[in-house]
């Protein structure tokens, strides 16, 4: 039958009695007993002494019962004690850790002046309630105990992460192709969710640039040292802007310089900050007022639009690798100049 009920049979083997040699008639001289049992996952092992009648001596030097939990001595007994005294003073401490072991060692010396019946104890598995007794169980929202283990669950709107403990929110969104819109922290306008790992992807035509405007309250957790506890970042092919945090948003508009951006928001497991709201839009890409270093442009403007053509003249002491001093370049739809030739120092 145990072949079909192996887990239950294994559990039943971890309960029973342990007693001194010859109990209850009395233990002989020079007797010894070594005993050990270990608990399976999600359990502890408890020992309850129901009887103790041994030779008494100073420090239990003659006859002794030593009990260990996970290799550490937790009791040294000898003499005589009633069950009531055992149950109130000794038994509460006879408990292993989760998946830990209990062991005992009994010994008697070469002679006793009178007969002693010895000791008897009952050992059994106990379910360990990780939810109530283990503050480090890892569940960030709800914890549910069952015999041999526990599981975590989440409030409505959250989902359990792959670690089986962390509750997080689904806040990854691909907004490619939209020219304008709004991105907010999870649960806005209320405090944002803990353990959030959000990624918002923006992608438009390559002749457009994405602009970000922060509106309303900006409140992303920042530490007393000024370092960001929770982080908001903007990634583009040319680099990363941020992290942004605190109560002062980036000055509008935040120019990405790109037609493709990823907005990343991460929060830790605590705090009650209200987050952010971003309005994004696009504008036609323009070319900057520099084509290459060591040169000037004509006509000179702060920015140029698609199709604008300028004359690039190398500064005094610089020439093109062709030997010329100037050439023409045109602003492209992608916001880049073409062609671009470098003015090298002579």
């Amino acid at each position: 039958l145990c072949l079909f009920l192996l887990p239950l049979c294994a559990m039943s083997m971890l309960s029973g009695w342990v007693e001194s040699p010859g109990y209850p008639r009395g233990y002989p001289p020079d007797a010894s007993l070594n005993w050990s049992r270990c608990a399976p996952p999600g359990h502890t092992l408890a020992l309850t002494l129901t009887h103790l009648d041994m030779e008494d001596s100073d420090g239990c030097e003659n006859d002794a019962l030593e009990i260990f939990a996970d290799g550490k001595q937790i009791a040294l007994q000898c003499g005589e004690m009633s069950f009531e005294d055992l149950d109130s003073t000794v038994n509460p401490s006879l408990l292993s850790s989760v998946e830990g072991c209990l062991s005992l060692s009994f010994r008697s010396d070469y002679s006793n002046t009178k007969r002693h019946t010895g000791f008897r104890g009952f050992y059994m598995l106990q379910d360990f309630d990780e939810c109530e007794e283990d503050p480090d169980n890892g569940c960030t929202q709800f914890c549910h105990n069952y015999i041999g283990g526990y599981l975590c669950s989440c409030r409505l709107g959250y989902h359990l992460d792959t670690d089986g403990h962390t509750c997080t929110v689904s806040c990854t969104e691909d907004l490619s192709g939209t020219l304008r819109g709004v991105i907010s922290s999870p649960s806005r306008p209320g405090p944002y969710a803990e353990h959030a790992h959000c990624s918002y992807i923006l992608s438009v035509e390559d002749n457009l640039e994405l602009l970000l405007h922060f509106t309303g309250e900006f409140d992303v957790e920042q530490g007393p040292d000024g370092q960001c506890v929770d982080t908001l970042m903007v990634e583009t092919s040319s680099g990363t802007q941020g992290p942004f945090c605190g109560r002062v948003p980036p000055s509008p508009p935040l120019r990405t310089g790109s037609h493709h951006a990823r907005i990343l928001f991460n929060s830790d497991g605590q705090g009650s900050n209200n987050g952010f709201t971003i309005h994004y839009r696009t504008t036609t890409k323009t070319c900057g007022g520099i084509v290459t270093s060591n040169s000037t442009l004509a006509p000179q403007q702060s920015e140029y639009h698609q199709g604008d053509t300028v004359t690039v003249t190398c500064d005094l002491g610089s020439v093109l690798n062709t030997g010329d001093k100037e050439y023409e370049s045109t602003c492209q739809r992608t916001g880049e100049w073409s062609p671009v030739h470098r003015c090298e120092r002579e």
Side-chain angles (χ1 to χ4, degrees), residues 22-35:
Y23 179 88
R25 297 182 305 276
Y27 56 83
D30 294 315
S32 65
L33 171 71
N34 291 299
W35 172 93

Side-chain angles (χ1 to χ4, degrees), residues 141 155-161 166-172 185-187 192-198 200 265 267:
Q141 290 187 4
R155 296 193 297 268
L156 181 66
Y158 289 75
H159 69 270
L160 201 60
D161 207 352
T166 304
C167 291
T168 185
V169 292
S170 297
C171 52
T172 295
S185 52
S187 304
Y192 52 74
E194 66 270 18
H195 299 291
H197 303 287
C198 305
Y200 305 96
F265 175 66
S267 66

